[in-house]
């Protein structure tokens, strides 16, 4: 599993609290049976990325409510789901001038 620091945007100071929040959030998802997931830390917002085939499971109640409740207890005020799904290296988009968009010739 990739280093938890990769879940925090470039330029954001990394500290033990943020790492713990991400670790806890990803443990919640794993305990729910979701695999290949990431929780991206955007300050008060947890952005959840899951493989697209797991989106229906993630947003179905009562699991959705349990995840929101658990992530709020971990310190996130808002819990969001990335509709693009899990994308390896999605936090690296800021390193590209075009934010990850590629031309057909790339």
């Amino acid at each position: 599993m990739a280093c938890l620091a990769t879940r925090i945007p470039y330029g954001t100071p990394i500290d033990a609290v943020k790492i713990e929040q991400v670790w806890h959030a990803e443990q919640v998802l794993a305990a729910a049976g979701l695999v290949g997931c990431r929780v991206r830390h955007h300050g008060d917002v947890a952005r959840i990325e899951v493989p697209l085939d797991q989106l229906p499971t993630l947003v179905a109640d009562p699991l959705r409510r349990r995840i929101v409740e658990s992530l709020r207890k971990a310190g996130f005020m808002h819990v969001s789901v990335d509709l693009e799904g899990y994308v390896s290296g999605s936090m690296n988009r800021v390193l590209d001038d075009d934010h990850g968009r590629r031309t057909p010739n790339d």
Side-chain angles (χ1 to χ4, degrees):
M1 183 175 222
C3 174
L4 293 175
T6 65
R7 314 307 199 263
I8 299 169
Y10 286 96
T12 302
I14 297 170
D15 58 38
V17 171
K18 289 180 184 90
I19 295 294
E20 176 66 24
Q21 286 177 302
V22 171
W23 180 85
H24 175 80
E26 291 190 1
Q27 291 299 308
V28 168
L29 299 179
L34 300 165
V35 295
C37 307
R38 296 289 186 268
V39 176
R40 310 299 185 178
H41 193 293
H42 296 279
D44 287 343
V45 178
R47 179 171 55 92
I48 301 172
E49 293 182 6
V50 298
L52 290 175
D53 64 335
Q54 295 181 53
L55 274 175
T57 301
L58 175 67
V59 299
D61 285 325
L63 179 59
R64 179 193 61 83
R65 285 191 307 253
R66 285 197 321 260
I67 290 171
V68 170
E69 190 175 293
S70 294
L71 272 58
R72 283 199 178 137
K73 286 180 183 175
F76 293 105
M77 294 299 297
H78 306 282
V79 179
S80 68
V81 176
D82 193 316
L83 296 179
E84 187 176 16
Y86 170 64
V87 176
S88 179
S90 67
M91 297 299 262
N92 295 332
R93 289 182 181 146
V94 298
L95 301 177
D96 295 332
D97 289 339
D98 59 5
H99 300 290
R101 293 182 294 273
R102 302 280 183 231
T103 63
N105 295 328
D106 284 349

